[in-house]
């Protein structure tokens, strides 16, 4: 089956926590790698996410940690909602 990796940068305005990460992570930009596999048996090209990895920097060290992609997306959405200007 054909797989690909997509890279994206996410931003947190506030510290955040995710299962699999030790403690609270500081606000800032984070590199995320999403592994996707091609969905077969349909008449158009489509992919589904099968793994999500976030890069965590600590001094000179960078660790890549597998996290739940949906949990990460929800944490980003919460962070954006908390920082949206009120109308």
């Amino acid at each position: 089956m054909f797989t690909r990796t997509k890279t994206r940068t996410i931003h947190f305005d506030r510290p955040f926590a995710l299962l699999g990460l030790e403690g609270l992570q500081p606000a800032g930009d984070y590199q995320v790698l999403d592994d996707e596999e091609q969905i077969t048996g349909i008449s158009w090209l489509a992919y589904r996410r099968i793994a999500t990895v976030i890069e965590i920097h600590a001094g000179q060290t960078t660790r890549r940690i597998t996290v739940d992609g949906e949990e990460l997306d929800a944490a980003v959405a919460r962070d954006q909602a908390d920082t949206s200007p009120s109308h």
Side-chain angles (χ1 to χ4, degrees):
M1 187 164 295
F2 180 73
T3 60
R4 68 181 184 185
T5 300
K6 293 180 74 178
T7 303
R8 59 188 167 121
T9 301
I10 60 171
H11 178 79
F12 284 97
D13 287 320
R14 292 182 167 69
F16 68 99
L18 296 172
L19 292 175
L21 299 181
E22 296 176 15
L24 206 56
Q25 301 302 312
D29 292 330
Y30 290 83
Q31 189 92 355
V32 175
L33 295 91
D34 293 306
D35 289 339
E36 299 176 330
E37 69 179 3
Q38 187 175 353
I39 300 171
T40 58
I42 57 177
S43 60
W44 63 91
L45 185 60
Y47 293 84
R48 75 174 135 246
R49 180 169 54 188
I50 57 173
T52 301
V53 174
I54 188 169
E55 291 185 353
I56 303 294
H57 300 283
Q60 297 289 332
T61 304
T62 300
R63 296 181 301 151
R64 287 184 173 180
I65 301 171
T66 301
V67 296
D68 182 291
E70 291 181 14
E71 181 189 11
L72 177 61
D73 293 344
V76 170
R78 279 191 307 274
D79 184 72
Q80 291 175 351
D82 288 346
T83 58
S84 296
S86 299
H87 294 282

